[in-house]
Amino acid sequence: MSVRRVLVVGGGIGGLSATIALRRAGVEVDLIEKNSEWTGYGVGIIQPGNALRALDGLGLAQECAAQGHPILGTRSWTADGATLLQDNDFPAAVPGLPPSNGITRRRLHDILVAAAEDSGADIRTGVTASAVEQSAAEVRVGFSDGRRRGYDLVVGADGLYSRLRDEIFGTHHRAKFTGQVAWRVNLPRIPGLDRLWMYRGSRGTAGFVPLAPDLMYLLTIEKVPDSAPVRLPRKGLAAVYRERLAEYGGPVAHHRELVRDDAEVLYRPVDNVLLPAPWYRGRVLLIGDAAHGTSPHCGQGGAQAIEDGVVLAEEIAKQLPVEQVLDGFMRRRFERCKTVVEGSERIGRWEQDHSLDIDPDAAAFEVTMAAMAPL
Ligand SMILES: Cc1cc2nc3c(=O)[nH]c(=O)nc-3n(C[C@H](O)[C@H](O)[C@H](O)COP(=O)(O)OP(=O)(O)OC[C@H]3O[C@@H](n4cnc5c(N)ncnc54)[C@H](O)[C@@H]3O)c2cc1C
């Protein structure tokens, strides 16, 4: 094999999945994660069918399904409760698994970390790469813990605000603000919630996502009201979120009253990035959000990060020279991730300007179906 030894930078969904996939292909892997503890923050994530299919290839989909809650499809309403879409159900990508799965991030992270540790990868937390020097034959990396080592390939999975992207591709490719912000909070599941329930409001969309028999999360993606600041202090978040949900009726009106604890509310600006192809320079490749960080409108960011690792391992297993491995990876990944980033961005644009001729449900379904195409 031309790629025998790989360094993965970043222990999020993308880096952990790549580590597991590469180890299954017989590659020696070191993984570094800058945080000294695995934090996997506490709200949930949607795993669409293509994420479950990719995880199935890693032997992890059944466990995710067992620890999550099935999502059969989507329903949507206007903010005041008029039906827009009734049961737009997804096909299952893998027989025996749900079409889509909701799971807490903590549980997903625990599953991925356990599998990465069992894979035999050398995993170090609290460590960053302090120097990355490339020659034709290898990438020599110095680490913050004083170690140095040479690799055939470095995989940067260090997220939306990737330092490796800045270093290798320059700071002009940084993630940009989309004009929207995201609110998330875990709540007791509404009995019978087995689809994404979405409510289209005047500045965005609020929705419920099942995560476990007793748990769901409420997600809102919205344009910041004129004259309101984008950055908000943690203190007072619950009250601001309740106020932003005031236009919604039905179950949102009821559940907004449960949002009381500032510490339970996650709030962040929504940024995105699509690095132009190719996502590698020499022997350093970016994957996941570092290369294609999408807004969350289609629930595909984590799914695409998992697929990256699976495809990279498949390309390495073909035993071609490194340049061909990376070209093969790009051929299979760029258009697919571009469809996700741009399709999600379109929905976000409509949420900010309803005069645009975009049907958000149809756009999301289109992206989901494109992502279900074989890898
Ligand atoms: C509001 C919201 C909702 C979302 N909902 C969904 C959803 O429902 N479904 C879905 O599939 N996706 C969803 N996503 C997207 C998904 O969270 C991301 O696409 C996914 O987490 C990307 O994984 P990643 O591993 O590329 O990056 P990250 O998860 O950001 O992981 C990067 C890791 O690298 C580490 N790191 C950073 N810098 C360094 C460094 N210098 N050295 C070492 N380590 C470093 C970080 O600590 C982190 O652990 C959502 C995103 C948002 C914002």
Side-chain angles (χ1 to χ4, degrees):
M1 265 197 293
S2 65
V3 180
R4 290 171 192 279
R5 188 188 287 174
V6 172
L7 172 69
V8 175
V9 179
I13 295 173
L16 290 165
S17 301
T19 298
I20 300 159
L22 291 168
R23 287 296 303 134
R24 287 169 76 97
V27 177
E28 190 185 333
V29 183
D30 292 350
L31 166 69
I32 54 165
E33 161 57 46
K34 78 169 177 193
N35 290 330
S36 42
E37 280 171 24
W38 300 110
T39 46
Y41 59 117
V43 186
I45 189 162
I46 302 163
Q47 300 185 295
N50 58 309
L52 293 174
R53 179 178 56 198
L55 285 165
D56 198 43
L58 303 180
L60 301 174
Q62 297 286 356
E63 201 175 342
C64 288
Q67 295 209 30
H69 194 286
I71 303 175
L72 306 179
T74 307
R75 286 181 189 166
S76 71
W77 294 266
T78 59
D80 53 8
T83 300
L84 290 169
L85 180 83
Q86 187 72 22
D87 295 358
N88 202 4
D89 285 0
F90 314 128
V94 181
L97 286 171
S100 193
N101 188 52
I103 188 168
T104 66
R105 290 201 180 237
R106 164 79 58 196
R107 285 180 177 175
L108 173 60
H109 221 72
D110 286 350
I111 291 169
L112 292 173
V113 168
E117 285 174 350
D118 284 352
S119 75
D122 181 346
I123 300 174
R124 279 134 69 209
T125 55
V127 175
T128 57
S130 45
V132 178
E133 289 151 20
Q134 298 208 47
S135 67
E138 66 169 6
V139 198
R140 194 107 205 119
V141 181
F143 296 100
S144 55
D145 60 4
R147 291 201 222 173
R148 281 183 75 76
R149 201 173 184 201
Y151 297 92
D152 299 317
L153 181 68
V154 170
V155 175
D158 53 346
L160 197 55
Y161 308 104
S162 167
R163 205 178 86 191
L164 213 49
R165 186 182 60 224
D166 278 2
E167 279 173 22
I168 307 287
F169 292 88
T171 53
H172 51 290
H173 289 300
R174 284 188 170 163
K176 293 196 174 64
F177 181 46
T178 59
Q180 292 191 290
V181 295
W183 297 87
R184 288 170 288 176
V185 65
N186 280 346
L187 294 170
R189 175 172 157 266
I190 300 170
L193 180 76
D194 56 5
R195 290 177 170 75
L196 306 178
W197 288 4
M198 293 193 296
Y199 301 83
R200 305 289 186 192
S202 60
R203 286 179 296 99
T205 300
F208 295 112
V209 183
L211 296 175
D214 57 348
L215 196 69
M216 66 177 186
Y217 81 103
L218 171 60
L219 165 72
T220 306
I221 307 171
E222 62 161 14
K223 180 178 153 188
V224 180
D226 294 341
S227 78
V230 172
R231 304 265 163 204
L232 293 173
R234 169 154 290 285
K235 191 168 160 37
L237 275 184
V240 179
Y241 192 19
R242 283 200 307 278
E243 190 188 309
R244 298 280 176 88
L245 290 169
E247 73 167 306
Y248 296 91
V252 181
H254 170 74
H255 282 85
R256 83 188 254 275
E257 294 309 320
L258 305 179
V259 182
R260 293 277 156 197
D261 184 352
D262 293 340
E264 294 291 314
V265 175
L266 279 194
Y267 170 83
R268 62 177 277 176
V270 175
D271 298 340
N272 73 356
V273 67
L274 179 65
L275 187 65
W279 300 332
Y280 66 90
R281 291 280 188 275
R283 291 171 174 269
V284 179
L285 169 73
L286 297 186
I287 66 166
D289 275 10
H292 48 81
T294 178
S295 63
H297 296 89
C298 300
Q300 275 287 341
Q304 295 302 316
I306 298 167
E307 286 186 355
D308 281 348
V310 169
V311 170
L312 180 62
E314 285 175 3
E315 291 300 314
I316 287 175
K318 291 179 184 166
Q319 315 221 9
L320 297 167
V322 67
E323 176 91 28
Q324 286 180 41
V325 167
L326 297 175
D327 277 353
F329 174 85
M330 288 310 305
R331 266 199 301 279
R332 293 173 65 187
R333 297 307 299 153
F334 184 74
E335 284 304 323
R336 194 178 180 91
C337 295
K338 182 169 182 271
T339 300
V340 167
V341 174
E342 293 182 352
S344 305
E345 193 176 273
R346 259 167 74 75
I347 299 169
R349 280 206 305 275
W350 174 83
E351 285 174 335
Q352 297 177 68
D353 178 0
H354 287 192
S355 72
L356 295 176
D357 185 19
I358 295 168
D359 173 344
D361 290 315
F365 195 71
E366 211 173 285
V367 170
T368 304
M369 293 313 291
M372 293 287 282
L375 269 182

